[in-house]
Amino acid sequence: MPTGSASAEAQSPGPVPSVIQHRHLLLQALRGHFLDRDYHEVETPVHLETPALEAHIDAVSAQGGYLRTSPEFHMKRLVAAGCERIFQIGPCFRAGERGALHRPEFTMLEWYRVGADYLDILSETRELLQAVVRAVGGAGLRAGGVVIDVAQDWQQLTVRDAYTAYAGWDPVAAFDADRFDLDMVNCVEPSMCRERPVVLIDYPAPVAALARCKAGDPAVAERWELFVGGIELVNAYSELTDAAEQRRRFAQWSAIRAADGRPAYAPDEAFLRALGRGMPACGGAALGVDRLLMLLANAASLDDVLPFRSEEV
Amino acid sequence: MFSASDLRKGLKVEIDDGPYVITDFQFVKPGKGQAIYNCRLKHMLDGSTLTRSFRSNDKLAKPELNTAKFQFSYIDGESFVFMDQNYEQVSLSADILGDSRHFLVEDLEVEVLYYRGQPVDVTLPNFVEKTIEETEPGARGDTATNVLKPAKITGGYEIQVPLFINEGDRVRIDTRTGEYADRVSKR
């Protein structure tokens, strides 16, 4: 059932609006999945002195600090401190991001598991989405009216193969940062299969983000992203645990930020110290909860699944 | 100059020495990647369209646009003649006026937009009054439903009106959508 112009206030008074009911069921299903697998639910700071340093993500400033763009560094500090299985569901903030699939404030699910690599996290994500569809009921995940059965085989495609097929070049052989992002949104995403979940896997090392590179093939990183109905839903890694390599990447991202004229962020030294003390090998993933709601409601825009539309907040 | 984050639907920009208006706009961004602003644009003079992707640090030129107030005067063959307060005349083509040409009434105040001295667009007041010239007789008592019927206004342009509207009625039209707004008076 398309939620169309659904909005909590527009529908009141009356029964609980479907956007509220869907979110309630989804949050319960997500928690249920992790609690059944002995994960601890955690909360980490939302207001930070040092925002996560990334090449293309800007933080919202607040009261002399920043709002978190993701809980990643603090959750990894918990992993380094001995938490073997943790998850968190909470708000994240990114400056200047607004569109059908973007809002400056959104809800992120993030989880980490010691001993797992990115393929273990992929199997777990498959179980997670199947559990969600069972719990929320209805027609399952849909985009543009097309049902995507998450219990079917997922299509798995290396980034190299996807770009070769859809954009006509190999980003692993010769990386081009500008072309990579542009072709992702204008060639790769529009050409993807819409009937099955698609996993883009093994990213070129320059876009490893926070993933470790493959032991046997350092040109690619152990990172995958899940697309459902063409919507980017999950980003996962075999996590980078090497403090020296992490510091090197921070320096790279700082240089990109400086060249683009974006605000400079300091590397998070507390996070680097935690890595330096030794963080166990682990896998982790982040999932856009609001986007998953869009797929559960067959909605075309985040505005259709949030309790308040942009102009009502 | 505009930066990519200024882009939005309706914004007027200059590309390759031509004035364009953004008719469709999408913000897209791969999770860890750069923000990309996908635009569909329409050339304000020749109506041709193009699609372009802009990145965060792309800059776009601002077109040099001026406005002047005129009053609609008369139709001269294919041209629409307007006059300013000093009785200076300007004549605009149907192409530049678009659907606006159907809503012109004598002495209507309009704003003409110029790009490098060339008229490119005309803005009408949000509402104009027109008379219904032709429509099927209205169904009496059926004023509450949302059922609409076609009606021709002076000049022959067709709009959708409620069933209770009759020939000779004065109606208000929203010039931004070209749709019926309400009835001003009965015949």
Side-chain angles (χ1 to χ4, degrees):
Chain A
M1 137 213 60
T3 47
S5 63
S7 151
E9 283 173 356
Q11 295 188 353
S12 67
V16 174
S18 63
V19 289
I20 302 296
Q21 185 64 13
H22 268 128
R23 185 176 291 266
H24 165 73
L25 293 173
L26 173 57
L27 291 174
Q28 275 190 329
L30 295 173
R31 289 203 162 89
H33 168 94
F34 289 106
L35 297 176
D36 282 351
R37 283 164 182 74
D38 294 325
Y39 277 77
H40 273 81
E41 179 163 10
V42 300
E43 284 188 316
T44 59
V46 174
H47 188 260
L48 311 172
E49 261 176 51
T50 311
L53 168 52
E54 298 198 52
H56 301 294
I57 294 177
D58 290 345
V60 174
S61 353
Q63 299 264 341
Y66 299 88
L67 299 178
R68 69 176 177 194
T69 55
S70 114
E72 182 149 6
F73 295 173
H74 284 89
M75 289 184 75
K76 286 183 172 171
R77 283 165 69 183
L78 292 180
V79 171
C83 300
E84 297 206 331
R85 292 172 172 234
I86 51 172
F87 77 100
Q88 175 163 208
I89 300 170
C92 292
F93 303 82
R94 293 181 180 181
E97 301 195 4
R98 187 180 288 282
L101 297 178
H102 292 85
R103 290 273 278 219
E105 175 178 353
F106 60 100
T107 302
M108 185 103 100
L109 158 67
E110 193 146 326
W111 73 97
Y112 293 89
R113 192 169 109 212
V114 170
D117 68 5
Y118 72 147
L119 296 178
D120 299 322
I121 298 292
L122 180 55
S123 325
E124 189 173 32
T125 304
R126 211 178 303 233
E127 289 165 20
L128 173 68
L129 289 190
Q130 287 171 18
V132 161
V133 167
R134 272 196 308 274
V136 177
L141 302 190
R142 283 173 301 161
V146 177
V147 177
I148 304 117
D149 183 357
V150 290
Q152 266 191 73
D153 276 351
W154 292 10
Q155 188 186 37
Q156 195 164 309
L157 202 56
T158 62
V159 172
R160 166 184 265 154
D161 287 348
Y163 274 74
T164 306
Y166 305 139
W169 65 291
D170 177 358
V172 177
F175 189 74
D176 177 334
D178 282 347
R179 215 175 148 194
F180 187 80
D181 290 331
L182 210 53
D183 284 356
M184 174 62 83
V185 297
N186 290 339
C187 304
V188 177
E189 286 182 12
S191 309
M192 276 181 193
C193 166
R194 290 290 191 272
E195 290 79 27
R196 284 194 291 160
V198 179
V199 178
L200 278 193
I201 194 162
D202 294 343
Y203 276 65
V207 281
L210 292 141
R212 73 170 180 231
C213 288
K214 268 196 167 162
D217 185 5
V220 298
E222 295 191 350
R223 170 184 174 193
W224 57 260
E225 288 217 17
L226 171 66
F227 294 80
V228 180
I231 295 173
E232 183 188 0
L233 187 63
V234 185
N235 181 34
Y237 313 131
S238 298
E239 301 294 344
L240 177 66
T241 54
D242 177 341
E245 170 63 12
Q246 182 67 64
R247 192 177 284 282
R248 202 183 58 78
R249 290 193 194 170
F250 276 152
Q252 244 171 31
W253 299 334
S254 282
I256 294 172
R257 295 189 68 83
D260 285 355
R262 311 172 89 92
Y265 301 149
D268 186 332
E269 293 296 338
F271 168 56
L272 287 167
R273 275 197 302 278
L275 290 185
R277 281 194 298 268
M279 179 169 126
C282 66
L287 177 153
V289 172
D290 312 289
R291 289 187 182 175
L292 181 50
L293 266 170
M294 279 178 62
L295 291 161
L296 286 163
N298 188 33
S301 163
L302 286 175
D303 257 348
D304 296 334
V305 297
L306 293 167
F308 299 96
R309 295 173 150 262
S310 343
E311 65 273 16
E312 294 170 342
V313 177
Chain B
M1 295 291 265
F2 288 117
S3 57
S5 57
D6 296 324
L7 300 179
R8 63 192 145 69
K9 207 169 159 176
L11 189 74
K12 297 175 175 89
V13 298
E14 190 172 71
I15 297 174
D16 305 334
D17 245 11
Y20 285 87
V21 59
I22 299 177
T23 53
D24 197 29
F25 169 79
Q26 272 189 309
F27 173 89
V28 286
K29 187 176 193 293
K32 298 286 180 189
Q34 305 175 58
I36 289 161
Y37 304 79
N38 277 340
C39 297
R40 177 177 283 278
L41 303 111
K42 189 174 149 207
H43 195 284
M44 294 174 70
L45 287 167
D46 65 23
S48 61
T49 59
L50 58 89
T51 52
R52 282 279 175 97
S53 297
F54 300 98
R55 283 187 283 254
S56 314
N57 39 1
D58 285 339
K59 297 271 183 279
L60 282 97
K62 242 180 219 179
E64 224 185 272
L65 297 167
N66 307 305
T67 58
K69 283 196 184 340
F70 286 91
Q71 286 188 333
F72 176 59
S73 205
Y74 61 93
I75 300 176
D76 176 19
E78 298 287 287
S79 301
F80 296 77
V81 181
F82 296 80
M83 204 173 275
D84 73 5
Q85 53 188 6
N86 303 320
Y87 306 104
E88 291 285 332
Q89 284 192 356
V90 57
S91 137
L92 303 176
S93 69
D95 273 357
I96 287 169
L97 283 160
D99 276 346
S100 292
R101 69 183 188 278
H102 304 297
F103 311 128
L104 295 172
V105 291
E106 210 183 312
D107 294 337
L108 187 73
E109 296 243 351
V110 304
E111 211 171 67
V112 178
L113 189 69
Y114 288 93
Y115 171 72
R116 295 183 182 172
Q118 261 183 296
V120 290
D121 195 21
V122 178
T123 311
L124 266 51
N126 291 346
F127 295 97
V128 297
E129 287 179 17
K130 292 289 256 184
T131 304
I132 298 295
E133 199 98 303
E134 197 185 309
T135 190
E136 294 293 318
R140 269 181 212 293
D142 196 2
T143 56
T145 62
N146 291 322
V147 181
L148 299 174
K149 62 174 181 178
K152 281 187 179 151
I153 58 173
T154 4
Y157 185 71
E158 195 172 284
I159 58 170
Q160 295 292 316
V161 298
L163 296 181
F164 60 81
I165 297 290
N166 288 306
E167 284 175 9
D169 287 356
R170 295 278 290 169
V171 300
R172 212 187 317 264
I173 295 169
D174 188 327
T175 61
R176 295 159 296 185
T177 58
E179 285 169 9
Y180 166 90
D182 54 11
R183 182 167 61 185
V184 183
S185 60
K186 290 172 79 162
R187 173 180 45 178

